[in-house]
Amino acid sequence: MSQLDKLKRIQNLPLVMRWVKEQAAILMPDRVHLCDGSENEFKSICDTLVDEGRLTKLNSSLRPNSYLARSDPSDVARVEKQTYICSRNEIDAGPTNNWMEPHKMKEILHPLMKGAMRGRTMYIIPYCMGPLGSAFSKIGLEITDSPFVVANMKIMSRMGLPVLDELQANDEFVKGVHTVGAPLEHKENDVAWPCNPNKYIVHFPEEESIYSYGSGYGGNALLGKKCFALRIASSLGRNEGWLAEHMLIVGVTNPEGEKKYFAAAFPSACGKTNLAMLEPKLPGWKVETVGDDIAWMRPGDDGRLYAVNPENGFFGVAPGTSYTSNPNAMKCMEENSLFTNVALTDDGDVWWEGMTKEKPKHLIDWRGDDWTPESSKPAAHPNSRFTVPISQCPTKDPMWEHPDGVPIDAILFGGRRQSNVPLVCEAFDWTHGTFMGTNISSEQTAAAEGKLGSLRHDPFAMLPFCGYNMGDYFDHWLSMEKKLTNPPKIYTVNWFRKDASGNFLWPGFGDNIRVLKWVFDRVNGVASAADSPIGLIPRSTGLDLPEGFKKESYDELFRIDPKSWLAEMQESRNYFKSFTRFPSRLTEQMDKTEARLNQVLKAKGQ
């Protein structure tokens, strides 16, 4: 089909046609290409990027139909300091988001966007977040001048001409404009990874629109991902009565063949993908993958909470992923994959830290330089990524793209905590579980800018992704209870607690099924639990422990120090003082937790 024939497809969609013409007049591209989402288009784009020296085609006998990109060293992560929620009123964005009056932001953006695509092709990407035809799903159009973004969006979303068939003449859609901000004014040769030091990632929630300028990095440029599926979608969900969450979704089946679905929220690089593709170490148990990053959840007619994964692919952190830590992720990326900022082996394959026990004798690192094991810098960037289709996942759940979603039986919240937080803890009720979600904190990761290793609060793992006032977001979570006659149970988990010598107390990875088993049995009402000041925890015989697991390790995993927890509650109070519209019901939860902790101290005579 010619480009002229493709463009005729949008002539019957006046809102789309008008918007595309408006953006083309501002951006001034040399060419316009409406993406059809075909395999031929994907191959043509990648082959052209290889010919231009902007992509490296990997060894086809080792990793078929796969490619490696190296970004500019300044463009390797989300740019949270330059990410804005430009709601009409500042209080609606809240204190955790950067805000600017919409008209003032547009005064900044318009000169930057004017002519930003000169010398380049303007790609129009019609895409659907969620299964086509599902009541859960939402349609977006992204305009971009990055062919690498087109290739990634082909994997990460349902993309192409069939999406346009879902739109009626006057249907609204989420509008996204992305440019690398590097016009080719005088037909000069392009660079391998065009970008601009001046970056803006801007969301206008009332207009349901997104503008991204200056970055080619996935989280900033793949507008269907964090920008749409979380920031814009969370605002839509608040208005329409559903939840857009930074959560994985898994199906867990016991040896008797009974299946339950769990959703889980973790900050980036805290084991989310590993849990989503878990290989259980308990015989007879099975874990299957619905999604590894984002969940859209709606109340069903039966009073349960149902979820879909709006994405079509995995955009995972490469370092630390191996056939030992996550064999299913490794199997996903054996073909048809895109890699960013990993190292290149001498035989044309990829490598990153943690992938193998032995380091290769020589590599080309993520900067394009020679690398040996004696090199002082990592071969792969800590935030290097793989983009792969979910359809290639050996553990994909049969219901992974069912239009009605899957029923959620339990929700898990977790961070990376070396002390204080027990291995698993069940909330007393939905309100207490919401309070647990507000208190998630984790060490800083390379997925965001900042100092590695420092502790940062990340309520619901949504701090960088909530598209409106987080006080209202907490209240929205509280309000969902009225819509659910059979709500999921809520838990916190912590795989990362350490002993006094700095060693991990819990083996993690495949042994995490032992925690999921306890949750599964709690949902069924067949596992007992002990009261604690912070929630319900397994009794000493409640967990199916690994063989030889020491009692002192178990005791430490579940040790709750009232004084440390009182200090943590005070720290939380101080943190939440910065929030506007913080729900009083959550303040009451802090009061109740402190009262229970003080009661324990009083009983001990302290």
Side-chain angles (χ1 to χ4, degrees):
M1 185 184 293
S2 69
Q3 270 302 300
L4 184 59
D5 289 333
K6 291 179 190 176
L7 288 168
K8 288 179 180 177
R9 298 282 290 270
I10 63 175
Q11 288 181 347
N12 295 326
L13 300 170
L15 296 183
V16 173
M17 196 70 182
R18 182 167 65 246
W19 178 71
V20 168
K21 285 183 176 180
E22 287 171 355
Q23 297 308 315
I26 296 168
L27 297 161
M28 302 179 185
D30 279 19
R31 299 163 296 276
V32 176
H33 177 96
L34 175 61
C35 297
D36 60 24
S38 66
E39 291 298 327
N40 286 338
E41 180 180 67
F42 177 87
K43 186 176 185 304
S44 174
I45 284 174
C46 291
D47 287 347
T48 300
L49 289 171
V50 170
D51 292 342
E52 293 173 351
R54 298 169 65 183
L55 271 187
T56 299
K57 186 173 176 61
L58 299 176
N59 187 326
S60 294
S61 63
L62 298 175
R63 212 165 292 266
N65 194 34
S66 299
Y67 303 85
L68 167 64
R70 297 188 185 97
S71 80
D72 186 278
S74 68
D75 193 21
V76 294
R78 297 192 308 270
V79 285
E80 292 178 13
K81 293 178 181 176
Q82 291 300 110
T83 299
Y84 289 82
I85 303 296
C86 291
S87 50
R88 295 189 184 107
N89 299 309
E90 182 176 6
I91 194 168
D92 292 329
T96 62
N97 287 312
N98 298 316
W99 178 84
M100 188 180 293
E101 290 182 2
H103 77 275
K104 288 186 177 179
M105 176 56 75
K106 290 176 181 178
E107 288 174 358
I108 293 172
L109 288 175
H110 188 76
L112 295 174
M113 294 289 181
K114 188 72 173 176
M117 291 188 183
R118 282 197 182 102
R120 299 192 180 278
T121 298
M122 184 179 96
Y123 297 93
I124 307 165
I125 306 173
Y127 67 99
C128 181
M129 300 308 293
L132 279 170
S134 169
F136 283 81
S137 299
K138 300 287 184 181
I139 287 175
L141 264 74
E142 175 171 359
I143 285 172
T144 181
D145 54 6
S146 168
F148 189 57
V149 165
V150 177
N152 275 272
M153 285 291 286
K154 157 71 175 170
I155 295 174
M156 291 303 301
S157 68
R158 285 87 173 170
M159 184 264 271
L161 297 180
V163 175
L164 294 177
D165 296 334
E166 296 288 317
L167 278 176
Q168 301 300 311
N170 294 308
D171 282 356
E172 293 290 342
F173 56 94
V174 173
K175 307 168 186 68
V177 178
H178 165 257
T179 174
V180 294
L184 300 172
E185 298 282 4
H186 306 293
K187 310 299 181 184
E188 65 268 29
N189 290 331
D190 205 357
V191 295
W193 187 277
C195 61
N196 192 301
N198 194 14
K199 295 175 172 61
Y200 285 93
I201 318 297
V202 183
H203 311 73
F204 298 95
E206 288 94 352
E207 298 175 12
E208 297 177 17
S209 64
I210 308 157
Y211 289 83
S212 173
Y213 179 87
S215 173
Y217 167 76
N220 304 323
L222 308 183
L223 301 188
K225 195 165 176 57
K226 307 299 191 189
C227 294
F228 179 173
L230 287 179
R231 297 191 187 102
I232 293 295
S234 63
S235 179
L236 289 171
R238 184 262 309 263
N239 296 336
E240 297 173 3
W242 53 279
L243 297 165
E245 298 300 322
H246 188 206
M247 289 183 177
L248 64 89
I249 311 167
V250 291
V252 181
T253 306
N254 70 7
E256 290 70 44
E258 183 184 3
K259 189 170 197 174
K260 298 189 182 299
Y261 287 95
F262 300 164
F266 298 87
S268 295
C270 284
K272 201 158 70 271
T273 300
N274 287 344
L275 184 61
M277 302 180 193
L278 188 74
E279 283 209 338
K281 287 193 174 181
L282 281 177
W285 286 80
K286 182 166 62 174
V287 174
E288 293 172 299
T289 313
V290 177
D292 79 323
D293 194 38
I294 298 174
W296 287 359
M297 304 192 289
R298 293 176 181 267
D301 293 337
D302 59 356
R304 302 179 72 186
L305 191 64
Y306 285 79
V308 297
N309 170 17
E311 299 188 291
N312 194 54
F314 299 129
F315 182 65
V317 176
T321 308
S322 71
Y323 280 101
T324 300
S325 67
N326 194 338
N328 291 313
M330 296 297 290
K331 292 171 186 174
C332 283
M333 60 181 98
E334 289 177 347
E335 59 183 342
N336 307 315
S337 302
L338 299 176
F339 297 90
T340 307
N341 289 343
V342 300
L344 181 68
T345 66
D346 290 345
D347 57 357
D349 201 5
V350 291
W351 189 88
W352 49 78
E353 279 70 16
M355 182 176 177
T356 57
K357 286 185 178 180
E358 287 192 17
K359 297 178 181 179
K361 293 181 179 178
H362 176 265
L363 297 164
I364 301 298
D365 72 10
W366 72 276
R367 295 174 181 267
D369 299 328
D370 288 304
W371 183 95
T372 67
E374 290 73 39
S375 298
S376 59
K377 297 180 179 179
H381 189 275
N383 196 37
S384 54
R385 297 280 175 158
F386 57 84
T387 312
V388 299
I390 295 177
S391 60
Q392 294 181 183
C393 181
T395 61
K396 66 180 179 294
D397 192 274
M399 298 280 285
W400 80 271
E401 55 179 352
H402 194 284
D404 296 333
V406 296
I408 299 300
D409 297 290
I411 295 172
L412 281 59
F413 294 113
R416 183 181 288 267
R417 296 296 304 272
Q418 296 182 25
S419 63
N420 240 25
V421 180
L423 177 63
V424 60
C425 182
E426 181 184 313
F428 296 123
D429 52 35
W430 182 269
T431 302
H432 183 232
T434 301
F435 172 64
M436 283 178 159
T438 65
N439 274 291
I440 295 302
S441 59
S442 185
E443 277 91 355
Q444 182 77 46
T445 77
E449 297 174 318
K451 183 180 178 182
L452 289 175
S454 60
L455 192 68
R456 80 181 218 161
H457 284 269
D458 196 350
F460 289 81
M462 280 286 285
L463 188 67
F465 308 123
C466 185
Y468 61 103
N469 187 309
M470 283 208 83
D472 292 340
Y473 168 83
F474 300 153
D475 198 54
H476 181 47
W477 259 85
L478 292 168
S479 73
M480 293 297 289
E481 184 178 18
K482 295 178 181 178
K483 302 175 182 179
L484 300 170
T485 56
N486 187 12
K489 286 182 176 291
I490 299 179
Y491 299 82
T492 57
V493 296
N494 178 29
W495 321 126
F496 303 102
R497 193 155 178 170
K498 293 183 177 182
D499 62 19
S501 300
N503 300 310
F504 288 113
L505 289 161
W506 184 247
F509 301 110
D511 281 304
N512 290 339
I513 188 62
R514 302 173 189 277
V515 173
L516 300 187
K517 177 182 182 294
W518 184 75
V519 171
F520 191 106
D521 291 341
R522 286 291 297 164
V523 171
N524 272 347
V526 298
S528 63
D531 279 330
S532 86
I534 63 169
L536 302 168
I537 59 175
R539 297 186 186 277
S540 57
T541 57
L543 276 183
D544 192 336
L545 296 171
E547 186 176 351
F549 197 77
K550 296 179 180 178
K551 182 181 183 302
E552 54 266 34
S553 294
Y554 182 92
D555 292 342
E556 182 61 24
L557 274 172
F558 289 98
R559 184 173 64 86
I560 296 167
D561 180 3
K563 291 183 178 179
S564 295
W565 269 98
L566 283 167
E568 182 138 338
M569 286 298 97
Q570 184 58 52
E571 202 270 344
S572 294
R573 283 186 186 277
N574 293 336
Y575 174 66
F576 289 127
K577 283 178 182 177
S578 64
F579 285 68
T580 55
R581 300 174 176 169
F582 189 77
S584 60
R585 288 169 66 189
L586 296 183
T587 302
E588 290 169 6
Q589 285 296 317
M590 280 189 278
D591 295 340
K592 290 178 180 179
T593 302
E594 288 177 339
R596 291 190 296 266
L597 291 163
N598 280 314
Q599 190 174 12
V600 172
L601 286 176
K602 185 178 179 181
K604 292 181 177 179
Q606 298 182 33

